[in-house]
Amino acid sequence: MQERVFKVLEFTKVREQLLEHASSTLGKDKIKHLVPSIDFEEVVKLQDETDEAATVLRVKGHIPLAGIYDIRAHIKRSVIGGVLSPHELFQIASIIHASRQMKRFIEEFSEDRTEIPILAEEVAKIIPLTDLEHAIKQAIDESGEVLDGASETLRTLRHQLRANEARVREKLESMIRSSSAQKMLSDAIITIRNDRFVIPVKQEYRAHYGGIIHDQSSSGQTLFIEPQVIVQLNNQLQDIRVKEQLEIERILTELSARSAEHDSELTVIVNVMANLDFIFAKARYGKKIKAAKPTMNHEGRISLFKARHPLISIDEVVPNDILLGKDYTTIVITGPNTGGKTVTLKTLGLCSLMAQAGLQVPAQDGSELAVFDAIYADIGDEQSIEQSLSTFSSHMVNIVDILGRVDFNSLVLFDELGAGTDPQEGAALAISILDEVHRRGARVVATTHYPELKAYGYNREGVLNASVEFDVETLSPTYKLLLGVPGRSNAFEISKRLGLNDRVIEAARSHVSEDTNQIDQMIASLEESKRQAEIEYQEARDYLKQAEKLHHDLQKQMMEFYDKKDDMLEKAAEKAETILEDAKKEAESVIRDLRKMRIEKHAEVKEHELIDAKRRLQEAAPVIKRSKQTAVKKTKQHTLMPGDEVKVLSFNSNGTLLERISDSEWQVQMGIMKMKVKEKDLEYITTPKQAETKPLAIVRGRDANVKLELDLRGERYEDALLRVEKYIDDALLANYPRVSIIHGKGTGALRQGVQEYLKNHRSVKKIRFGEAGEGGSGVTVVEFK
């Protein structure tokens, strides 16, 4: 793409803003060279990586990108045998540490939360050079000083150096504290010249101390003398310093050589950290401008919803919907100047450039943009003084260049097409240029104030008229884009609002053709209709949101109701069982008392009468079933019909089908509620027969004809499960604490199916295989709660 287009559409300013969000010179260098890509797969990947970074920032709020340095020059110099400085070596250790931190951060995020494959793949390239990092940090501190612990030799030399310096200072301190020193010294201080300790002696007393003169004051009155008595001590110090420097050089040479051994790994670390800094800078910038990830296509479709110009303050910019490339490929925006037409052009062009560069765009979620091979723009007054070109000539030079390059996969933006020349000829040229670009299949948006182009969209297939709204009441533009409505002149309305005499305005109207007046009236009607339609559309959306919220709240309340109902029934059942258990215990107590009375008092109470009384007590106690029913098994495919009784799985509640709403949705009556339910959420139970009546409840006692075991051997799988289901219900009604189900050993399929059903049954407390005398693994013993 042309660099001139980047400047015209202000993509260069976006790059400048993006620089503020980079953490290192490496990331800034990549941003400075950022250009849109024309490869569809690459653009999709760029958008995905930015979205992954945005996800990380949204969840974590930060990213460990501190301590990144550009060490590429250091690596090259170490490879050719150069000795790196302490600062350069510390920068190598710092970026190794930063890469380890980043690798661990991304891997932990990827394991704990959302998958971020691109970032995970990027950090997987990093080879942690922990040994090299520790070796450098043990030898060099953050300020670039070589530490005493870098080697034992250096530690010893530093110790000797400090001890000798102490002796020299002690000797000099005794000299400057003497009584004669006050008149012979300019100042009672110890200082250093040429790395040797000296004292400031007045000129006339130079011979008193002897030794070596290293410097003098600007006036010449003070000499900095190394007294003869400490010359030898200073010589020893100097010797130790030379050895210290040689040891430091050896340490730096060794660390530089170790760094050179890992030049390829260090180069990978630099490239990965540069790329990660760049990716997260894009994500930070997107967060700042409240941007969203656009869906990309290569069919030339553009659907920007509530799009904003990223360089205009969010508080001031007016969002607009821009749709292009589906039902129409050309938009002609007409209307007065300063209405926002140029901003609309730049918003579209800049968003397209940003998307193809991997940046998120300032628009709502769900926006879509195309990957163009080229974006052309002829915007603004670009007349050239050097070439002595007029405004019109300058525009035509650009347009000629565009026409020589444009093809079907181009986006072309024309601002004030045909302006700067005779209105009639300019309008004719504008129509001809639009026809040519439209014929080549490019996506085109053009602005103009020529009234002749208002009819252009009505006479060409694939062309749409648009305008920017103008508020006559406030005499100011609203900057709102109106698609499908051409712009109209507001000169008469504005003049009237400003106080121009009505007679003058009417006279002016008489000079305008009847066709123009009718067109303006038609446009005004269209504007009003569109404005009203947008208001009604927004109201409808608000009502829809309210209805959806109400529907959601009702569903939530129903679920809470059914849960509460089940809990209450459960508690009631438990309470009833407790009462019955107490009653049984009381009955047992009565029986014991009766027997005792019979034995002790020889009462005429027969044993069989006692047994019969106990049996009657037990039969009088109903068995209360749990409120939550087991899931109804589907035994065969059934075509749902109105009137069928079904189970709504999501609510665990039964209902009746009222009518089919669509191929996949039914209206269901659940109690007093009527709800729309997906067919996949329904389970068929039965079709009620006419005039059929059912008993409301069945209470059975121990006399019911229910055996303590169920033999399923020889049964088909489906039939066996139906028998198990019915048998468990009968056993529960009979109040049996334990039953046995004989399924045999065989292939194990029937045994597995029976046990899976029993495990999920609410009333089953425990299941086990039979003991050796009960049938072994061919029998399942069931214990009830």
Side-chain angles (χ1 to χ4, degrees), residues 154-196:
L154 185 60
R155 187 192 304 276
T156 301
L157 290 171
R158 291 266 177 90
H159 179 72
Q160 293 175 0
L161 192 64
R162 284 190 285 269
N164 281 15
E165 284 182 350
R167 283 199 295 271
V168 171
R169 285 184 175 276
E170 184 180 355
K171 190 72 174 176
L172 290 174
E173 286 284 350
S174 65
M175 294 175 67
I176 65 176
R177 284 199 299 267
S178 66
S179 57
S180 60
Q182 293 183 0
K183 66 175 182 176
M184 291 186 287
L185 297 180
S186 299
D187 200 354
I189 61 170
I190 301 170
T191 184
I192 296 174
R193 291 293 187 274
N194 300 323
D195 290 331
R196 299 176 77 89

Side-chain angles (χ1 to χ4, degrees), residues 234-349:
N234 266 337
N235 287 342
Q236 292 175 2
L237 271 176
Q238 200 65 20
D239 183 55
I240 296 172
R241 287 196 183 104
V242 170
K243 291 179 180 178
E244 177 197 25
Q245 192 59 40
L246 289 174
E247 180 62 15
I248 289 174
E249 288 293 329
R250 186 194 67 77
I251 293 168
L252 296 179
T253 302
E254 181 182 330
L255 292 174
S256 299
R258 290 187 63 176
S259 300
E261 292 173 2
H262 298 287
D263 63 313
S264 57
E265 294 96 329
L266 288 171
T267 302
V268 169
I269 287 174
V270 170
N271 293 335
V272 169
M273 296 307 291
N275 200 28
L276 289 174
D277 189 14
F278 169 64
I279 292 171
F280 279 97
K282 293 190 296 179
R284 287 193 189 103
Y285 180 64
K287 183 179 180 181
K288 176 186 175 184
I289 63 174
K290 292 182 170 52
K293 175 189 175 184
T295 302
M296 305 305 299
N297 69 78
H298 45 70
E299 289 87 30
R301 294 191 310 276
I302 295 174
S303 299
L304 285 173
F305 303 110
K306 303 298 181 185
R308 297 171 277 106
H309 196 290
L311 302 179
I312 302 177
S313 171
I314 296 177
D315 299 329
E316 299 176 4
V317 69
V318 176
N320 276 308
D321 295 345
I322 305 174
L323 309 175
L324 181 67
K326 187 176 181 182
D327 299 325
Y328 46 87
T329 59
T330 300
I331 297 177
V332 179
I333 306 176
T334 53
N337 292 329
T338 69
K341 301 194 301 295
T342 304
V343 171
T344 301
L345 281 187
K346 288 188 174 182
T347 300
L348 172 58

Side-chain angles (χ1 to χ4, degrees), residues 376-389:
Y376 303 104
D378 178 59
I379 298 175
D381 185 2
E382 299 179 19
Q383 58 181 315
S384 172
I385 297 176
E386 292 83 359
Q387 298 178 9
S388 300
L389 296 176

